[in-house]
Amino acid sequence: MTFNNSAGYSAVGAGGAASAPGLWKRLKHVKIYRVVFIVSFVLISVALITHLYVVNVESEENGKNVYKSRSQLEAFEDFSSLKAADLKLRIDEMMRIKGTVSVELRELESRRQKLQFDISSYNQRIDELKQEMSRQQTELDRLKISVEQAQVAQQEAVLRNTPELALPKPLFPAQLPPTMPPLDANEASRCQMSTCFDHSRCSLTSGFPIYLYDPDQYPVVGTGFDVDGFLKTTIKQTLGYNTHLTDDPKAACIFLVLTGESLPEHETVRNNRYTLPVVPELRNVTGLSAAKLQKLPYWGGDGRNHILLNFARRDLTPTSGLAVKTVDTGRAMIVQSTFEASQFRRGFDLLIPPILGPPGGDVWQECAPMLPARRKYLMSFQGELKVQNTSKSIDREAEALDDFIVEHLTEMASGRTQDKFLLQFQCIPATEQKFLSPFRDWSLCGTDSSRRSVLKESTFALILAPERHIVSSTYLQARLYEALRSGAIPVILGGDQVHLPYAETLDWRRAMILLPRARITELHFLLRAVPDTDLLFMRRQGRLFWERYFSSVQATVDTIVTSLRDRLGIPPRPIQNIVAQSVFNGTFVPLKSDPPVLDAEPEESLGPIEPPYPSPAFRRNYTALLVQSREAWNDWGDPFFLYPQLPFDPVLPSDAKFIGSHMGFRPIGHGVGGAGKEFGEALGGNHPREQFTIVMLTYEREQVLMDSLGRLYGLPYLHKVVVVWNSPKPPLEDLRWPDIGVPVSVVRAPRNSLNNRFLPFDVIETEAVLSIDDDAHLRHDEILFGFRVWREHRDRIVGFPGRFHAWDVNSNSAWNYNSNYTCELSMVLTGAAFVHKYYTYLYTYWMPQAIRDKVDEYMNCEDIAMNFLVSHVTRQPPVKVTSRWTFRCPGCPVSLSEDDTHFQERHKCINFFTRVFGYTPLLNTQYRADSILFKTRIPHDKQKCFKFI
C-alpha cells in the first residue's frame, strides 16, 4: 500500500512538469497584435461593467425614488418629435405630479412636527411624574413620621403621670362672716396673717373677689369730718375697672373701707395736682370713728378680712404724745403711708405711697428723660426740719445727729470739688402744706414745679429719714414719689430704719441707695463711685416702679389689690383676649379651591404633617407668681394679670426629657442626634413639641393674598392662619380661598389700623406667632428654620429683614431709621418675624397709648414700636435669620413702604418713641443665625440640616 501510493504521487508530479514547456512553446507562435487586442478588450469590458455598477449604486443611494428614476429615463427622451398639445399635456402632468409631491411633503413635515411635539410633551410629562413621584415619596415619608408622632402622642396620653385636670369650681363662702367678740388691743397689735385673717373665705380658685363699702352709704369718719368727694369718686371709678371687684358680699374675700382723705371740710387744702396732709394743732385729725366701724354690716365684731384704706397719708392710731385717742381697728389691715415703728405690723399692714398723681391714663409726659446719665447736680436736697412738738421730752441725741448731718452736708457742698450740689436746709414752706408735722420730719419746700425743675437736673436726690420711731412718713413718701418721677436716684439717709412701699415684692436696692446715718461721711465717695451703667439701670428701674405702681390713682389701687392677692398666693385673673369676629356673615360660606400646585420646593423632608395642636395654656397658674414673683414685679412690671404662657417659662435640664419628664419632647434621632432625615423628623430643642400661627394683615389685595395663602400649603408645624381683614369692604363672594390643609380664620378688624397686626385674638392658640405681610414670599425651609431658632429665643423677635437706627451726626440729637446693608442691626421688621403671643398683650394693653396713636397717625411704624417694646422688656436685641434682607413682589400693587414720606415718618417715629420710653431701648447686634452645618464640608454620604440655609 505504501509503495503504490508513492509511485502514484511521483507520476503525477512528473506529468505536470512535462506540460509547462509545451504551453510556453505555443505562446511563442502567437502574433503580438492579437495579444494587444485581447488585453484592450478585457480593459474596456471592465470599465463598462464598473460604470454600470457605479450608476446603479448612486441611484439606489439617492432614495430609489420611482419618480426620480422615471425622470432620469424620460430625460433621455426626445421631445422634439412631440406636438405642442402633447407637450402641454406632458407639462400639465408634470405640474400635477409636482403639486402632489408638495402636498405629501407638507403632510410629512406636519407629521414630523407633531411627533416632535408629542415627544417633547412626553418628556415633560415624564419629568413632572418624576417630580410628583419625588414629592409623593417625600409626602409619604412625612406621613410615616406623622403616624409615628401620633403614636408617641397617644402613648403619652395614656401613660402621662400628670393628668389634665379640669379647673376646679371656684369656692365661695356660703354665708357672711359670723360675729366675733372684739379683739384685745395687745393681741391686735401683734396681728399676723396666720392669726388675724380668715383664709377660708379666699379659696385659691376664687379669683380674689373684693367688696367695697360705699363711702356715702357707710361713712366711718366722725362728726364734722367727711371723706373728700373727689377721692371717693376716683376710688370708686378706679376700683370699677378692677376685675376683682364684686357686688356680692357673701362671695367676697376681703372688704375695703375708705377712711381718708378724712379732713374737716373747712380745712381741706388742695392744689391742682395733689393734696398733702394738713395737721391742725392738738386735735383728733384722724376723723375715724370706732363706733361706726363696728356698725359696718360685715365687720363681724373684730374686722377680720377688712382693709382700711387711709389715703389721707397719716397714721390711724398715733401714740407718739399727740393729743389724740387710739382707734380700735381690731383684726383689720391698715393701708396707709405713715406708720410708727410700734404700730406697723410687718407682713400684715401694707405701706403704700401717697396718691399724688392723676386718676389714670398715660403718664410718660410727667417723666424726665433718662439721659444723660450724669446731670448738672450730683445731689440735691430742699427741706427744713420743723416740728410741732407736743411732748415735754425732747430727743437731744436726735437733734445733735441732725445738726451734724446738716453741718457735714454743707461742708461737702462748699468743699473743693468739681461736683455741684444743691442743698437747702432753710426754705419757703411748700404751698401744699399749712401746718407743722406732729413729729420731727423734713418738710417740703417751694412748689411742685420748682421742686421738679431741680430734680430733673439732679443725678441723686437726698431723702432724710424722720425721727427714729417713724418708719415711714408722708413727706418721705412724697420725696420718693417726686424723685422717681424726675429720674433722680433716691439716696435715703437713715435707710436702715425706714420701710418702703410694697417692700414685700419690690426690690428697692435696684432703684435707690439706702444708707445708715453713720455713713454720712462716706456719702460723697459712694456717689462718685457709681458708674454710668448702674446709674442708668437704677434710673430705669425707678421709672418702672413709678409708672407701674405709683403714677396714678389707678396704678396705686391696682397695686394695693395685687399686693394683697399676691400675699395670699391666689393667681390673678386671666388676661382678656380680643374676641375675633369673622369677616363672613353667618349665611355666607367662602368658596374653596383645590389645593394649589406649588412651585418646586427644595426636595427635602422638612417635618411631619401633624393635626392641629394648640399650645398648652394656663399650666402654671399657681406657680408662676411663686417661682417668678420677683421677675414679675421688678423686671416685667406686670403682676396684675395671668397669661396663658410666658416667654420666660423655666427650661428643663437636658436629661429630664429622658428621665421622668419626657412628655411632649421630640428629641432628634430619639436622643441620638443626627442631621438630614433625623433632623427633619423631629423638632428637638429644649422645649416640648409645638406649632405656630401665621398672622397676615391685608388690605384690598385679594389676589396677592390668595397667592400668599397658596404658598403655605403643606407647611409643617403650621397650626392656623389668621388673616386680619383691615378693609371696611368684605371679600368678594366669588373669591376662591385655597385649601391649604389648615384652618384659615379671616378676622374683621375693628378699624383700618396697623396696630391690628398685634391684637391678641382668641383664635391664636399657639405661643409662636409668625407675623407676615401679605406680599412676603418665604420658602418653607426658611419659615421652619426661623421657627426652630425662635424656639431657642422665645423672649425675642426672630425674623428676616434687618434694619437699624443710626445717629444723626448733623444734628447730634436725633436718630434716623436706616435700611442700608450693614454689619450691625437693631431691629427685625415684623413683616416677616416670629414673636411670642405674650408681646401682643403688652402691645395692646401695657404699652403707652401715645405710641399706638402715633402708629395710626402715620399709618406706619408698628414694627418699630414692637421692636422698642420687646427690647425694653428684655434688654436684648432681636435675632436675624438667613441672608434675607428685603422682599420683592413684582406683581404686587404699590405698598405703603414705597411712599416718599415713608422714611421721614420712620425717623420721626424712632425719636417720638424714645421720648415716650425716656430712652432708646434698641440694642445693636452683629450676628445672624444660620443652620449649624451651613457651609460646612461634610462627607458625601451625610446630609446637612437644611440644603439651602
Side-chain angles (χ1 to χ4, degrees), residues 41-185:
F41 177 78
V42 171
L43 293 174
I44 292 172
S45 300
V46 171
L48 290 174
I49 293 172
T50 302
H51 175 72
L52 291 175
Y53 176 75
V54 170
V55 170
N56 290 333
V57 170
E58 288 180 353
S59 64
E60 291 177 359
E61 289 180 354
N62 288 332
K64 299 179 181 180
N65 194 321
V66 177
Y67 300 103
K68 184 175 180 180
S69 301
R70 191 168 159 189
S71 63
Q72 288 177 351
L73 294 174
E74 291 177 351
F76 296 98
E77 295 183 8
D78 187 6
F79 293 100
S80 60
S81 61
L82 294 176
K83 297 180 179 179
D86 295 337
L87 184 60
K88 185 177 183 303
L89 290 176
R90 182 59 59 90
I91 292 174
D92 292 341
E93 181 181 1
M94 296 294 292
M95 294 298 294
R96 181 183 59 79
I97 293 174
K98 178 182 177 183
T100 303
V101 171
S102 298
V103 171
E104 291 183 0
L105 287 176
R106 283 194 295 270
E107 290 178 353
L108 289 175
E109 179 64 20
S110 176
R111 290 176 60 190
R112 185 185 68 82
Q113 292 179 356
K114 184 176 182 303
L115 288 174
Q116 287 182 346
F117 177 78
D118 291 341
I119 292 173
S120 176
S121 300
Y122 289 139
N123 289 333
Q124 183 178 359
R125 180 60 179 165
I126 290 172
D127 294 338
E128 291 176 354
L129 290 175
K130 288 180 179 180
Q131 293 180 0
E132 182 65 22
M133 183 179 67
S134 176
R135 188 178 293 109
Q136 293 295 338
Q137 183 63 42
T138 303
E139 187 74 13
L140 179 61
D141 295 339
R142 293 168 63 180
L143 290 176
K144 289 180 179 179
I145 299 172
S146 302
V147 171
E148 295 176 0
Q149 299 286 353
Q151 292 174 347
V152 173
Q154 182 183 14
Q155 295 175 0
E156 290 177 346
V158 174
L159 301 177
R160 68 172 60 246
N161 56 5
T162 56
E164 297 288 345
L165 297 179
L167 184 67
K169 293 183 178 180
L171 301 178
F172 298 112
Q175 58 186 2
L176 295 171
T179 302
M180 303 294 289
L183 195 65
D184 179 74

Side-chain angles (χ1 to χ4, degrees), residues 38 56 167 264 483 554 584:
I38 293 171
N56 290 333
L167 184 67
Q554 184 74 58
F584 306 110

Side-chain angles (χ1 to χ4, degrees), residues 712-765:
L712 300 177
Y713 175 75
L715 178 60
Y717 305 115
L718 178 59
H719 178 263
K720 185 184 297 182
V721 177
V722 177
V723 177
V724 181
W725 194 266
N726 234 18
S727 172
K729 301 178 182 178
L732 299 176
E733 293 188 1
D734 59 349
L735 187 63
R736 304 190 70 87
W737 296 79
D739 184 2
I740 60 175
V742 298
V744 177
S745 298
V746 186
V747 179
R748 179 188 291 109
R751 56 192 177 88
N752 183 18
S753 171
L754 293 180
N755 291 312
N756 297 332
R757 181 192 298 273
F758 302 122
L759 289 178
F761 290 111
D762 55 354
V763 293
I764 302 176
E765 301 176 297

